Amino acid sequence: MDFGLLFEPSDNTKYSYISLPTADRWGLLMRKDSTLASHDGIRQEDLEQIPLLLSRQVRFDREFSGWSSFSEHELHVVGTYNLLFNASLFVSEGCGYALCLDRIINLTEGSNLVFKPLVPELRTRVNLVWKSNRHFSSAASQYLEILRRQIGTENACKSTEARKTL
């Protein structure tokens, strides 16, 4: 594996990385017939009594510390997931609501699911990471060079080793 994506906050000390010029927003995946589906956004109090599915990769106290005043233990967590697609199947069957990032699940017109963002908005930045001192294949080197040009910044690389690689 040449590259990985880490969502902030993350420990990037082991890696060279580029901060991508995008951020994903947090919200709630639910059935379209849910009472919360009519809301423009999901507030902290909306999460308090509903059955939630949380990602195993998320540390609630870290990702949501500035957004909510309660801990994961105060929520009604009915399950965890590794892949949001799997959680979406449970949500589709009415087994709970998935706290997740937007644009991971394809919510086409035929879907019985809808995504509602958290209010106030909570966004997570994304970093492209790779092991420091890694010798890339020609294709991986070219990909990194093209990405660096596309995001348009010489300062995108967050390590001395990364600048040497490019």
Side-chain angles (χ1 to χ4, degrees):
M1 182 169 60
D2 292 317
F3 303 104
L5 292 174
L6 291 181
F7 293 91
E8 291 182 356
S10 59
D11 179 8
N12 294 335
T13 57
K14 300 180 205 173
Y15 305 106
S16 295
Y17 67 99
I18 294 175
S19 292
L20 299 179
T22 185
D24 288 328
R25 65 184 177 167
W26 283 95
L28 201 61
L29 186 66
M30 67 190 75
R31 290 172 51 110
K32 285 182 179 176
D33 61 2
S34 165
T35 57
L36 292 176
S38 64
H39 294 199
D40 289 334
I42 303 301
R43 301 189 183 292
Q44 177 179 322
E45 54 271 15
D46 295 327
L47 298 179
E48 292 176 355
Q49 300 301 316
I50 61 173
L52 283 174
L53 300 165
L54 300 180
S55 170
R56 284 184 186 224
Q57 290 84 22
V58 170
R59 289 212 20 230
F60 193 87
D61 60 331
R62 186 179 63 195
E63 275 85 343
F64 295 91
S65 62
W67 184 82
S68 82
S69 62
F70 55 84
S71 73
E72 178 180 345
H73 304 292
E74 296 174 79
L75 299 172
H76 181 55
V77 178
V78 296
T80 59
Y81 62 88
N82 288 322
L83 299 172
L84 184 55
F85 176 76
N86 294 342
S88 75
L89 299 175
F90 281 93
V91 173
S92 183
E93 292 298 320
C95 298
Y97 299 76
L99 192 59
C100 61
L101 293 171
D102 195 5
R103 298 178 302 170
I104 295 175
I105 297 297
N106 186 4
L107 301 175
T108 59
E109 215 173 281
S111 173
N112 71 334
L113 300 177
V114 65
F115 177 90
K116 294 294 179 170
L118 297 180
V119 176
E121 186 175 73
L122 178 62
R123 290 192 168 266
T124 297
R125 305 234 0 120
V126 182
N127 295 313
L128 179 78
V129 301
W130 61 93
K131 288 186 178 181
S132 298
N133 301 318
R134 176 147 173 88
H135 295 285
F136 287 123
S137 67
S138 176
S141 292
Q142 288 177 17
Y143 173 77
L144 201 53
E145 181 61 32
I146 290 168
L147 179 64
R148 193 178 114 227
R149 281 195 311 260
Q150 287 289 324
I151 62 174
T153 176
E154 289 293 321
N155 298 323
C157 295
K158 301 298 183 181
S159 78
T160 304
E161 192 59 41
R163 288 186 197 94
K164 289 180 192 173
T165 303
L166 297 174

